[in-house]
């Protein structure tokens, strides 16, 4: 029973129990390795006008009504990771306060959903260094947030003035909500000083 309760479908179902349909549009953005399952459950519970699923290659399971599906690279991001984030940005720009954006977040979202502030090649190199040097997921995502337009709560900012509902499926011990998928819709608790200390600790080579 306890295992079923933490499955993506059950988690989404519970989170949407008291959902109230907005006067405007409902847009769904699902990202991470469990994005497809979370999106499918959401569509079975509420009306969604349009949406996007960004997940790992091989993790989608057929079309979903009114939903665009993009598969992208994990653990190293690729062109489709950028396509997914840019598609979401376009979908969630110019909304009104009558609209609602439901953001479904699961593990792997950091690599799968990215609008980099540096070149893709630079970001791929930094990610490779972080994965090889033994940094933990919190340290990795602290660096990733500094190089992104959509991490550390920035994607939620893009959605303003629409209401944002953030449903997060944790894959990190102690559930640090700003670190799961690098917190696209959750305030960043890490600092630039934290990031600089990580760069020094692992002697990361940055351009």
């Amino acid at each position: 029973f306890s295992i079923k309760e933490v499955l993506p479908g059950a988690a989404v179902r519970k989170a949407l129990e008291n959902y109230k349909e907005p006067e405007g549009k409902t847009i769904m953005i699902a990202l991470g390795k469990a994005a497809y399952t979370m999106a499918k459950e959401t569509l079975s519970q509420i009306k969604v006008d349009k949406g996007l699923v960004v997940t790992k290659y091989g993790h989608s399971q057929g079309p979903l009504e009114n939903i665009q599906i993009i598969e992208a690279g994990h653990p190293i991001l690729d062109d489709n990771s950028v396509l997914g984030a840019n598609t979401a940005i376009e979908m969630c720009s110019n909304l009104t306060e009558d609209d609602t954006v439901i953001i479904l977040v699961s593990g792997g979202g950091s690599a799968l959903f990215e609008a980099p502030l540096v070149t893709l090649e630079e970001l791929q190199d930094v990610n490779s260094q972080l994965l090889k040097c033994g940094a933990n997921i919190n340290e990795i995502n602290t660096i990733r947030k500094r190089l992104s337009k959509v991490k550390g709560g920035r994607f939620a900012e893009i959605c303003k003035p629409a209401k944002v509902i953030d449903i997060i499926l944790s894959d990190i011990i102690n559930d640090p909500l700003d670190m799961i998928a690098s917190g696209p819709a959750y305030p960043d608790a890490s600092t630039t000083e934290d990031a600089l200390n990580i760069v020094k600790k692992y002697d990361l080579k940055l351009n």
Side-chain angles (χ1 to χ4, degrees):
F1 175 78
S2 59
I3 293 175
K4 289 182 182 178
E5 285 300 303
V6 298
L7 291 175
V12 169
R13 198 157 49 247
K14 186 173 182 180
L16 292 173
E17 278 177 347
N18 300 312
Y19 180 76
K20 294 180 181 178
E21 194 171 309
E23 291 183 21
K25 300 185 291 289
T26 297
I27 297 172
M28 179 190 72
I29 306 295
L31 54 110
K33 288 181 284 186
Y36 184 91
T37 304
M38 294 177 79
K40 188 174 182 180
E41 185 61 41
T42 298
L43 294 173
S44 75
Q45 299 295 315
I46 64 171
K47 175 179 173 288
V48 172
D49 294 285
K50 62 178 177 178
L52 172 69
V53 169
V54 187
T55 193
K56 186 177 178 179
Y57 291 113
H59 278 51
S60 63
Q61 300 164 41
L64 297 171
E65 188 175 359
N66 298 328
I67 306 301
Q68 185 174 346
I69 298 173
I70 296 173
E71 294 188 338
H74 179 277
I76 298 296
L77 73 163
D78 62 9
D79 288 331
N80 276 1
S81 309
V82 178
L83 175 63
N86 286 338
T87 301
I89 289 169
E90 185 177 342
M91 209 174 271
C92 295
S93 298
N94 304 313
L95 298 179
T96 74
E97 59 187 15
D98 292 329
D99 301 322
T100 294
V101 181
I102 297 175
I103 304 174
L104 308 170
V105 178
S106 57
S110 290
L112 295 165
F113 187 77
E114 183 59 277
L117 291 170
V118 296
T119 67
L120 177 60
E121 291 73 20
E122 285 178 286
L123 195 53
Q124 287 171 327
D125 177 61
V126 172
N127 272 275
S128 293
Q129 289 185 61
L130 286 163
L131 291 169
K132 290 174 183 175
C133 74
N136 65 44
I137 190 63
N138 290 347
E139 292 173 323
I140 292 171
N141 287 352
T142 295
I143 298 295
R144 284 168 162 169
K145 289 179 191 181
R146 264 72 225 157
L147 305 174
S148 174
K149 298 175 190 174
V150 291
K151 293 174 168 49
R154 293 187 181 97
F155 183 66
E157 292 283 335
I158 290 166
C159 298
K160 285 183 174 179
K163 180 181 180 181
V164 172
I165 297 174
D166 195 16
I167 300 175
I168 303 171
L169 193 68
S170 177
D171 66 337
I172 303 178
I173 294 170
N174 297 325
D175 305 333
L177 299 182
D178 68 312
M179 288 297 175
I180 300 160
S182 298
Y186 201 87
D188 185 12
S190 66
T191 66
T192 300
E193 185 178 359
D194 293 334
L196 289 171
N197 288 336
I198 294 163
V199 170
K200 292 174 186 175
K201 178 180 178 180
Y202 295 106
D203 192 25
L204 299 176
K205 304 296 186 287
L206 305 179
N207 293 335

